[in-house]
Amino acid sequence: MVYLIGAGAGDPELITLKAVRILKQVDVVLYDYLVHPNIVLIASQAEKICVGKKKGAHSTLQVDINDQMVKYAEKGLTVARLKGGDPMVFGRCGEEMMALNRRNILYEVIPGISSAIAVPTYAGIPITHRDFSHSVAFVTATRANDVQAMEFPNADTLVIMMSLLRLSPLIKRLVELRSPDTPIAIIESGTYASEKKLIGTLS
């Protein structure tokens, strides 16, 4: 059995009760860099293997992560695939489900609190508002080879995730598409004690 678990947005108290219960029972945990270390430690009886992806550091290929899930599950072990945020929001959970389906391995997805919602909330920023924002879109810039060619959904609020490394070209592109007076917040390490927040306009 494999559990595809969302660990929440960063603050270890944001993990769900169900995720905590499952982590205490599993044999193996394959976890990402974005998962708070205290959450990994909940799986006190499990073998813990970091399979994270991080810019400038060793990264595990997705195909290798899939293979490890399958390998341990086919040994009869209970596996937790532990991801930051929610596993279905830019978490490659769909690819992992496909890999497990191909081998007829049982799995369950346990949702987590996505940073797309939790980080602005912690910072006191509503992503929807009855007077100002009736729609919200979540975008990632990590796969964009050419930020200047990026198109963005026509939503009142844009939440652009994993974007700090491409911040300058992103701002340049957004100024082409929206008014320079558009309010903007830039948040790093959201929900952590080390959170940094900058609020202003695109200009």
Side-chain angles (χ1 to χ4, degrees):
M1 181 72 177
V2 176
Y3 293 93
L4 304 165
I5 302 175
D11 181 338
E13 291 187 318
L14 291 178
I15 193 169
T16 64
L17 292 173
K18 183 168 186 177
V20 169
R21 176 174 61 81
I22 296 300
L23 286 172
K24 289 178 178 179
Q25 300 172 357
V26 299
D27 302 305
V28 180
V29 177
L30 306 173
Y31 66 94
D32 287 347
Y33 283 117
L34 290 176
V35 177
H36 195 286
N38 289 354
I39 292 176
V40 178
L41 291 175
I42 292 170
S44 57
Q45 306 303 313
E47 180 182 355
K48 302 166 188 66
I49 303 166
C50 181
V51 293
K53 301 177 180 68
K54 186 161 76 170
K55 192 76 172 177
H58 171 73
S59 293
T60 307
L61 297 176
Q62 186 62 48
V63 65
D64 294 331
I65 297 171
N66 296 347
D67 288 345
Q68 288 193 64
M69 286 191 307
V70 168
K71 177 184 76 173
Y72 287 113
E74 288 185 339
K75 287 181 178 180
L77 300 175
T78 304
V79 181
R81 173 69 179 102
L82 186 60
K83 304 159 175 287
D86 181 273
M88 296 286 200
V89 181
F90 302 127
R92 301 195 180 186
C93 191
E95 296 170 49
E96 294 172 357
M97 291 164 60
M98 291 169 65
L100 295 169
N101 281 329
R102 282 194 293 268
R103 300 301 287 264
N104 294 314
I105 295 171
L106 291 175
Y107 63 86
E108 181 180 347
V109 182
I110 300 176
I113 299 174
S114 173
S115 61
I117 298 168
V119 168
T121 297
Y122 257 53
I125 301 167
I127 58 173
T128 62
H129 189 290
R130 187 168 60 171
D131 296 328
F132 306 111
S133 176
H134 300 261
S135 60
V136 59
F138 305 113
V139 180
T140 176
T142 56
R143 298 295 298 273
N145 293 322
D146 183 5
V147 172
Q148 283 307 110
M150 278 187 72
E151 297 296 331
F152 293 92
N154 186 23
D156 294 327
T157 301
L158 281 178
V159 178
I160 306 175
M161 302 170 66
M162 300 169 280
S163 56
L164 282 178
L165 293 173
R166 297 170 183 258
L167 191 57
S168 292
L170 273 170
I171 296 297
K172 184 178 178 183
R173 177 62 174 151
L174 287 167
V175 167
E176 294 173 356
L177 300 172
R178 297 203 174 195
S179 164
D181 297 328
T182 301
I184 184 172
I186 301 168
I187 305 170
E188 181 181 14
S189 302
T191 81
Y192 282 89
S194 58
E195 176 177 303
K196 296 177 183 176
K197 176 176 66 174
L198 178 68
I199 294 177
T201 63
L202 279 176
S203 63

